[in-house]
Amino acid sequence: MKKKIIFCAFLLFGQNFLLKAQQKIAFKTVIKANRLVLGIHLFLAGNFNNWNPADSAWQLRPVGEGGFVLNKVMAKGVYQFKVTKGSWPSVECTADGKPADNRSLVVTKDTAISLNIAGWQDDFAIAEKSHTASRQVHIISDKFEMPQLGRQRRVWIYLPAGYSSSKKKYPVIYMHDGQNLFDDYTAGFGEWGIDEILDKIPDAKQSVIVGIDHGGDYRITEYDPFDSKYGKGRGDDYIRFIVQTLKPYIDKRYHVKTGAAYTTIAGSSMGGLISMYAALKYPGVFGNAGIFSPAFWIAPQIYTYAQHAKLPRSSRFYFVCGDAESDSVVTDMQKMAGIIRLKVKSNASAPVVIIKGASHNEKQWNGDFPGFYTWLTGSQEVRKIKRFL
């Protein structure tokens, strides 16, 4: 993952920086002559610095002819990162210009890491992207008014194939990071493929999906209901926009089921955090929530908020993440599920799914979605759908 992680997943795992079990890590690299640029500056961007591609605290120091080093003290844990020349367009890539996978680092002891750079993305022409959204996906508005935030945003909607030929009312799922749900053209580095998944299931198990674009630089604060070092949390305003403005709009103009039992909110990373908050604050609106790889670390207040929240026993939460995301995301998610299970009907109302070997990206969430949707609707057909990414 590269730039997409900035938008979809770039604020995870701050809890890795514990003040215990510190280890000395030496990053070393030698750039081949054909990859060496005069005056080049190299940086590490990863889940240890919010995927900042030009973080001076993680800049490598040139030594000798084409050599670079960086010595850091890091807590034990699992880290993912890339090498950049100071921006995501100039991130490392494969020798033939294809996106390189994240580098993984498991810190357990003092060690030295050798970094061999195969190529730089800005040495290659940008690959053309095409639209992949199915015919069931529509843009409600490119500039939907968000009076609670004083902003505008693009809003998408997926309508089942049978929608126009009947007056049947469908359940609704509200999802964040709309750029990444349906169309590879608007997704930075891969889409969830929600439309391709739902296109394959019978109308009887279909839902309307409403996707709200994230706000770019506003994403962190809009998806955080609490203040943090990243700014004043506007998550409460963002959720009020959905509850007070967007949902009434959808309920009035589309034939959908409006009750909480048929209304779900879902998202990943920061979107998982804000979905959790929405379902806790407005259980009479959102009866179900899909919590994918939630960034609970940025807002530890969410646990206290959950403990004091009054939920009907009919509320339902689906928790899912990969075990290769970090050393804390699994325990964070399990902690929240433990709180919720004391409030809902049964453990089946708050399942915890840990995907072995899965990382923090759209490929994972594409693979996670069928299991979530099967749990939500009882549709066994969607469980049979394989990852398409």
Side-chain angles (χ1 to χ4, degrees):
M1 294 296 292
K2 281 72 57 180
K3 185 177 178 182
K4 178 62 169 297
I5 297 181
I6 296 179
F7 292 125
C8 289
F10 70 111
L11 279 178
L12 294 178
F13 323 129
Q15 288 172 317
N16 285 329
F17 288 92
L18 300 175
L19 296 179
K20 60 182 180 179
Q22 299 283 332
Q23 308 298 321
K24 296 179 181 178
I25 310 297
F27 298 92
K28 302 179 180 180
T29 187
V30 175
I31 310 299
K32 295 180 179 179
N34 64 331
R35 297 297 177 199
L36 190 59
V37 179
L38 185 64
I40 188 174
H41 299 283
L42 298 187
F43 303 82
L44 300 185
N47 57 12
F48 42 71
N49 67 346
N50 303 324
W51 294 95
N52 183 342
D55 186 349
S56 60
W58 289 86
Q59 182 173 0
L60 285 81
R61 175 172 54 88
V63 291
E65 187 66 27
F68 293 82
V69 299
L70 173 65
N71 296 311
K72 299 294 288 187
V73 175
M74 304 175 71
K76 289 183 177 181
V78 181
Y79 300 90
Q80 296 184 356
F81 69 98
K82 285 186 177 298
V83 183
T84 83
K85 290 190 294 183
S87 67
W88 287 109
S90 63
V91 71
E92 63 175 309
C93 65
T94 64
D96 56 358
K98 295 181 180 179
D101 291 335
N102 289 342
R103 296 176 181 270
S104 292
L105 170 62
V106 180
V107 174
T108 60
K109 60 183 179 180
D110 295 353
T111 189
I113 307 298
S114 295
L115 306 172
N116 296 314
I117 310 299
W120 300 109
Q121 199 68 68
D122 57 350
D123 290 338
F124 298 87
I126 299 175
E128 278 194 39
K129 298 182 68 174
S130 59
H131 290 287
T132 60
S134 78
R135 66 178 63 188
Q136 307 310 129
V137 177
H138 311 275
I139 303 295
I140 292 178
S141 173
D142 284 311
K143 296 181 178 180
F144 199 101
E145 293 290 342
M146 308 174 80
Q148 294 80 1
L149 290 162
R151 297 165 185 161
Q152 297 175 327
R153 200 63 46 80
R154 178 171 53 192
V155 177
W156 311 64
I157 193 166
Y158 172 91
L159 298 174
Y163 179 89
S164 60
S165 60
S166 74
K167 291 300 180 181
K168 171 186 173 181
K169 292 189 176 183
Y170 294 87
V172 185
I173 305 176
Y174 290 87
M175 299 188 70
H176 320 291
D177 295 314
Q179 296 97 322
N180 310 326
L181 301 178
F182 310 111
D183 196 349
D184 190 59
Y185 190 85
T186 59
F189 290 88
E191 50 159 317
W192 284 51
I194 301 298
D195 47 337
E196 285 86 353
I197 293 173
L198 294 189
D199 282 350
K200 294 180 173 67
I201 66 176
D203 186 78
K205 295 295 183 180
Q206 282 279 11
S207 298
V208 167
I209 312 291
V210 178
I212 308 144
D213 276 13
H214 65 67
D217 292 342
Y218 297 124
R219 182 178 185 270
I220 305 170
T221 52
E222 283 188 2
Y223 290 179
D224 191 346
F226 309 103
D227 297 346
S228 75
K229 64 180 181 179
Y230 303 103
K232 180 176 177 57
R234 300 296 304 276
D236 194 67
D237 295 324
Y238 171 71
I239 294 303
R240 285 196 303 109
F241 155 69
I242 298 177
V243 171
Q244 298 173 357
T245 303
L246 181 58
K247 186 178 186 298
Y249 179 95
I250 298 297
D251 291 349
K252 181 178 180 179
R253 289 167 175 79
Y254 297 89
H255 41 98
V256 296
K257 297 181 178 180
T258 60
Y262 305 101
T263 307
T264 302
I265 191 160
S268 63
S269 188
M270 292 295 293
L273 168 64
I274 196 61
S275 295
M276 189 76 227
Y277 176 78
L280 291 171
K281 181 163 186 179
Y282 296 101
V285 176
F286 306 110
N288 317 285
I291 314 299
F292 295 74
S293 305
F296 291 151
W297 70 266
I298 196 176
Q301 305 97 316
I302 193 69
Y303 298 111
T304 302
Y305 192 84
Q307 288 170 341
H308 291 95
K310 294 182 179 180
L311 293 177
R313 288 181 61 77
S314 58
S315 289
R316 303 167 74 219
F317 297 79
Y318 186 92
F319 297 94
V320 60
C321 72
D323 68 356
E325 298 192 41
S326 82
D327 61 347
S328 64
V329 66
V330 172
T331 54
D332 287 351
M333 200 173 71
Q334 290 173 328
K335 178 180 177 180
M336 178 60 77
I339 296 171
I340 296 302
R341 284 177 168 180
L342 296 175
K343 299 173 179 288
V344 297
K345 186 178 300 183
S346 68
N347 287 356
S349 298
V352 176
V353 181
I354 311 299
I355 308 299
K356 186 174 178 57
S359 299
H360 192 86
N361 52 47
E362 280 62 37
K363 182 178 181 180
Q364 174 190 329
W365 302 321
N366 165 256
D368 295 339
F369 191 84
F372 159 70
Y373 197 79
T374 297
W375 167 85
L376 181 66
T377 66
S379 173
Q380 293 301 318
E381 293 86 354
V382 73
R383 184 180 287 280
K384 301 173 185 177
I385 298 172
K386 297 180 179 180
R387 297 173 186 264
F388 90 96
L389 290 175

